[in-house]
Amino acid sequence: MLRKLFKFHGGVKPQTNKVQSTTQPIAPVPLPERLVIPLHQAVGGHPRPLVAPGDKVFKGQRIGGADGSLSSAVHASTSGIVRDVAPALMPHTSGLTTLSVVIEPDGEDRWGELDKVNYRTTPPDELRDFLRDAGVVGLGGAVFPSYAKLKPGKEGRLKTLVINGAECEPFITCDDLLMRERAADMLKGIVAMRHMLQAEEVLIGIEDNKPEAVAAVQTAIAASGQTGIEAVAIPTRYPAGGAKQLIRVLTGIEVPHGRRSTDFGVQCFNVGTAYSIFEALEFGRPLISRVVTVAGNVDLPRNYEVLIGTPMDHVVRLSGARADTDRYIMGGPMMGVRLPAFDVPVVKATNCILVGSPALFPPPPPEMPCIRCGECAKACPADLAPFEMYWFSRSKNFGKAQEYHLFDCIECGCCSFVCPSHIPLVDYFRFSKSEIWARERDKSSSDAARDRFEFKNFRQEREKQEKAEKLAAKAAATREKVAADSQAGTANPAAEAPDTAKPTAPSAEDTKRALIAAAMEKARQQKAQVAPKNTEQLSAETQADIDAIEARRAVSAATPPTPDA
Amino acid sequence: MLTALLVMTAVALVLGALLGYASLKFKVEGDPLVEKIDAILPQTQCGQCGFPGCRPYATAIASGEAEINQCPPGGEEGIRKLADLLGREFKALSEEHGVEKPKSVAVIDENTCIGCTLCIQACPVDAIVGAAKQLHTVVAGECTGCELCIAPCPVDCITMAPIVENIDTWKWRYPVIQIKQAA
């Protein structure tokens, strides 16, 4: 049966460079000397560390707990001893550090106790919590926690579940090899996801430059006897693997600005994510390893099953990096980011380590002025006008850039690829986006500061007023009391000045004097009440001493002092 | 002639009544310019401008009593925004009001703090917590870096620490424009 496929706007056809790394099966990687596992690997909150230096951990033991409403747990990739919990360099262009757990493997690679669930009998909420604690995140590159996406829309069921096996970036073949070798297991993960989402149909989109993968998945579907699941070969065109682009190609739905695909009954997951969901549900194994392509400037490009936290140079060494290697790129040549060092760890987002050299990736030709030819707009798969956004980003006119829907840009790099003036357009868009985010943060913090300042002023005013009211009320009460007393009669101990105690209503002067008298009387009473405090519960001896002293004092007070000399 | 005069008078009366009604109906409460200026100011409430807070300074700018270059935390960018808004010329930051510094937060040295509560009273945004004879601490997320707490501290235990860049606040750099050799 032939399915009607749709086209997305734009796109490019770069050289795929995929055959080099697909000749060999996925290979295991020997244990490295130490694993550095960053705690913050996925979109969302920073997981908190659950282990301390010196602790012994088992393979699959949770070392970072999910924190906040959107966060995903992190696990030990092998058994060993925690050597350190400290900031370490992360695989990110910035060269910044993040809190990481350093594990020295003991070589036994022993699993800890694993929780298992039956996804058919477990309620969806518990299943989602289980996947969150199993650290399952989107392995396509965005590393969005999967449990948050495994919620059916408002209707309670999904129309189409799209599984993304397109893998459109040049050089990367990790999904291709995963589908070829583990199609049956991946399919079990897909069936579980379909059950959670109550999806009517499942479409697995695979670019037609991967016929082996398409065949393997189709065989697996036939063998499983599942209905409503279809592997579809789609035309090879970058970026067919973008979620919105793949949904467009397979279903014809164009997700508009500001809406989500779930609003249209479609949700999209990567094939690697499906496989890790299978591992989590079937064996209770959390996400501790992934398939990583090593390609580019190496003697033997191929795919490896790499433990999360393995230093990248440890993996690349197996493929034999050539002498002129000068950089590692995480991801592909279109969207990948240059890494600050060779020994940064493999993380959940690492689909490919692209080994670069000046010969393979020569420095870009000098940037020329934009001639507004519109090639970028023709190539843009998000239907944007990159030359306009470039103009406003370059002049730091961020408001205008946003008006041209800068935040719908998926940073696929098609515009930079086709630009005849060799302008690094995506760099400008990334710069603009992060500037706008920073401004928004500043704005919200200054708004908060304004509110707090105004509240403090309000509070101080209120306190002042409350104090004044309290004093006024007290004064009024005393005045009333005095007035009542003086009216009652002259035999008032508080009114010491006898002349003022008249039976008629007291004048203002009299009230004042009476108030002073009352205050003095009160003070006198208070003074009389205050006795030295350390005279209670004295022992008999001390009491005797005190009595003796008192007696002596009385005697000396009675007899006048005799002149001594 | 008389008709023309009458017509014009009638038109003038009607329009006048309309304008009078509109000025009552659509009366603007307060000065919207002050709001706009206040939105640009950084809300550190530090008083370096010579006014007790950002809003009084905004009011002073709006009434022409203050220059636009008296706000060190807002820096050059802030002055530019104010110049744009008010249609005035850009001026360099006035030196007598201070210099632009990287954004910082106050940090209390917990070994030295004696719990006198003077800094708590000085903080314009209630970002310091503590009680008499109890250790005080700064809520870093709420601190605006105004430095108003430093002077009152009798034991000089408050220092300003610049905010370190982390992965959540990291920004992509402006793409480098290559300088080409001519010919």
Side-chain angles (χ1 to χ4, degrees):
Chain A
M1 54 181 174
L2 269 177
R3 172 171 282 275
K4 178 174 164 41
L5 294 178
F6 299 82
K7 273 185 81 173
F8 62 89
H9 178 265
V12 292
K13 284 195 172 185
Q15 226 183 342
T16 57
N17 284 311
K18 284 181 191 273
V19 282
Q20 297 94 319
S21 53
T22 51
T23 53
Q24 308 280 329
I26 301 172
V29 174
L31 273 179
E33 274 173 31
R34 52 180 45 204
L35 292 157
V36 182
I37 304 171
L39 289 171
H40 183 58
Q41 293 193 34
V43 172
H46 292 250
R48 55 191 190 282
L50 301 176
V51 288
D55 286 1
K56 184 157 172 43
V57 288
F58 288 107
K59 187 172 184 168
Q61 183 179 331
R62 194 136 42 98
I63 55 173
D67 187 40
S69 60
L70 186 70
S71 180
S72 184
V74 180
H75 303 80
S77 313
T78 185
S79 58
I81 291 163
V82 176
R83 283 287 170 225
D84 208 356
V85 181
L89 200 61
M90 59 195 289
H92 189 269
T93 319
S94 61
L96 289 171
T97 57
T98 184
L99 195 63
S100 309
V101 176
V102 181
I103 295 175
E104 195 178 290
D106 57 11
E108 290 172 23
D109 209 25
R110 186 151 21 116
W111 284 95
E113 255 178 59
L114 299 173
D115 304 328
K116 270 180 239 179
V117 288
N118 183 341
Y119 71 86
R120 290 194 182 277
T121 54
T122 313
D125 273 339
E126 273 177 44
L127 215 52
R128 275 193 284 275
D129 285 353
F130 176 81
L131 288 176
R132 180 193 65 204
D133 292 339
V136 178
V137 296
L139 296 183
V143 281
F144 191 87
S146 299
Y147 74 92
K149 280 170 77 184
L150 282 165
K151 274 181 201 155
K154 288 171 204 112
E155 299 95 54
R157 53 189 297 117
L158 203 68
K159 192 174 175 298
T160 313
L161 172 62
V162 170
I163 301 295
N164 190 343
E167 199 166 52
C168 55
E169 270 253 357
F171 287 100
I172 307 178
T173 56
C174 60
D175 291 348
D176 187 2
L177 266 284
L178 183 90
M179 284 186 284
R180 285 190 205 187
E181 296 186 13
R182 305 174 189 173
D185 291 344
M186 180 194 83
L187 197 66
K188 284 182 195 162
I190 293 174
V191 171
M193 279 197 273
R194 184 188 189 185
H195 174 79
M196 285 181 81
L197 291 167
Q198 294 292 306
E200 275 172 41
E201 58 166 355
V202 181
L203 297 175
I204 307 170
I206 305 166
E207 276 193 349
D208 55 12
N209 61 358
K210 294 182 259 296
E212 297 92 339
V214 178
V217 175
Q218 274 168 349
T219 317
I221 294 170
S224 73
Q226 292 277 343
T227 54
I229 302 183
E230 195 185 334
V232 186
I234 58 167
T236 301
R237 192 154 61 110
Y238 181 85
K244 284 188 175 176
Q245 284 68 35
L246 187 65
I247 289 170
R248 167 79 187 155
V249 168
L250 289 174
T251 66
I253 295 169
E254 205 155 343
V255 181
H257 167 76
R259 303 285 295 276
R260 287 154 194 255
S261 62
T262 40
D263 298 343
F264 301 90
V266 185
Q267 187 62 287
C268 184
F269 289 91
N270 177 262
V271 288
T273 316
Y275 181 75
S276 52
I277 284 179
F278 157 77
E279 288 252 304
L281 296 177
E282 185 85 9
F283 305 113
R285 288 180 195 156
L287 180 51
I288 52 159
S289 71
R290 66 159 297 152
V291 184
V292 177
T293 309
V294 176
N297 193 38
V298 288
D299 291 327
L300 182 68
R302 73 182 295 178
N303 284 277
Y304 297 93
E305 177 80 36
V306 188
L307 295 177
I308 304 297
T310 308
M312 286 192 184
D313 52 357
H314 179 81
V315 187
V316 171
R317 204 174 298 139
L318 301 174
S319 276
R322 297 192 186 124
D324 59 342
T325 295
D326 69 336
R327 82 194 89 161
Y328 287 173
I329 294 164
M330 189 167 98
M334 301 292 284
M335 291 186 72
V337 287
R338 189 175 172 167
L339 297 175
F342 290 140
D343 60 350
V344 289
V346 167
V347 290
K348 291 175 184 176
T350 313
N351 47 6
C352 174
I353 306 168
L354 190 54
V355 181
S357 71
L360 188 64
F361 300 119
E367 187 181 326
M368 308 279 283
C370 171
I371 53 169
R372 299 176 70 87
C373 61
E375 281 299 317
C376 48
K378 274 188 222 160
C380 181
D383 262 323
L384 300 173
F387 55 95
E388 299 281 16
M389 298 193 317
Y390 157 70
W391 187 249
F392 294 119
S393 298
R394 193 188 151 109
S395 57
K396 300 183 187 171
N397 190 345
F398 301 118
K400 274 292 208 186
Q402 245 176 309
E403 274 176 37
Y404 281 90
H405 300 297
L406 175 70
F407 282 95
D408 284 343
C409 168
I410 56 168
E411 301 176 19
C412 64
C414 288
C415 50
S416 312
F417 183 79
V418 296
C419 180
S421 289
H422 313 294
I423 301 170
L425 290 153
V426 175
D427 291 0
Y428 282 98
F429 302 153
R430 283 173 172 162
F431 158 74
S432 277
K433 283 184 185 177
S434 58
E435 278 296 326
I436 291 168
W437 282 323
R439 259 148 229 249
E440 262 165 30
R441 274 197 303 274
D442 285 354
K443 178 95 180 58
S444 65
S445 68
S446 80
D447 283 349
R450 184 187 297 122
D451 289 350
R452 291 178 75 85
F453 178 61
E454 277 165 9
F455 181 73
K456 171 160 181 165
N457 288 346
F458 164 74
R459 179 170 60 81
Q460 279 177 331
E461 275 307 306
R462 189 187 62 195
E463 275 166 9
K464 216 186 274 172
Q465 212 177 336
E466 277 172 1
K467 208 169 174 185
E469 273 169 15
K470 218 168 158 187
L471 278 176
K474 209 171 167 191
T478 326
R479 206 170 289 142
E480 240 166 57
K481 195 176 154 221
V482 170
D485 284 349
S486 56
Q487 287 220 326
T490 46
N492 185 1
E496 278 181 1
D499 289 356
T500 58
K502 288 174 190 163
T504 50
S507 67
E509 189 71 11
D510 293 339
T511 323
K512 209 173 194 180
R513 218 171 285 160
L515 273 174
I516 295 168
M520 281 171 71
E521 175 65 15
K522 200 176 168 192
R524 201 178 57 75
Q525 279 174 2
Q526 274 180 346
K527 206 173 173 185
Q529 276 174 8
V530 177
K533 278 186 182 154
N534 54 349
T535 52
E536 286 164 29
Q537 294 175 343
L538 296 172
S539 64
E541 292 159 36
T542 326
Q543 191 58 51
D545 281 352
I546 291 172
D547 288 346
I549 292 165
E550 288 293 333
R552 242 180 297 153
R553 202 175 273 163
V555 169
S556 67
T559 57
T562 50
D564 248 352
Chain B
M1 175 68 186
L2 193 66
T3 329
L5 269 177
L6 282 174
V7 166
M8 290 311 283
T9 316
V11 167
L13 281 174
V14 168
L15 287 178
L18 212 70
L19 280 172
Y21 172 73
S23 72
L24 290 175
K25 170 89 182 175
F26 303 109
K27 191 170 180 175
V28 179
E29 292 290 338
D31 192 350
L33 189 60
V34 175
E35 294 290 332
K36 282 185 194 163
I37 297 172
D38 196 39
I40 291 174
L41 296 176
Q43 304 303 322
T44 32
Q45 318 293 357
C46 60
Q48 290 183 73
C49 51
F51 295 91
C54 294
R55 181 163 269 278
Y57 178 45
T59 317
I61 295 178
S63 62
E65 286 163 28
E67 285 294 342
I68 55 171
N69 62 348
Q70 300 180 3
C71 176
E76 206 189 298
E77 202 186 328
I79 300 173
R80 273 191 204 286
K81 279 190 192 160
L82 286 175
D84 275 355
L85 176 72
L86 301 167
R88 296 195 200 168
E89 278 297 310
F90 170 78
K91 279 182 183 168
L93 184 66
S94 142
E95 272 177 25
E96 61 172 299
H97 292 102
V99 286
E100 198 177 343
K101 290 177 204 164
K103 210 167 177 291
S104 311
V105 289
V107 179
I108 292 177
D109 178 6
E110 303 189 340
N111 294 321
T112 323
C113 175
I114 54 169
C116 68
T117 74
L118 288 177
C119 56
I120 296 181
Q121 291 160 38
C123 179
V125 291
D126 286 336
I128 304 179
V129 286
K133 294 182 185 169
Q134 306 286 322
L135 183 66
H136 302 346
T137 194
V138 177
V139 183
E142 307 290 358
C143 177
T144 63
C146 68
E147 305 189 2
L148 288 179
C149 50
I150 292 182
C153 181
V155 289
D156 286 338
C157 72
I158 306 179
T159 47
M160 298 306 291
I163 295 174
V164 204
E165 197 173 43
N166 65 17
I167 194 64
D168 294 323
T169 59
W170 181 80
K171 293 192 284 188
W172 285 88
R173 304 287 179 261
Y174 190 68
V176 183
I177 311 278
Q178 287 173 357
I179 298 167
K180 298 186 294 284
Q181 206 177 358

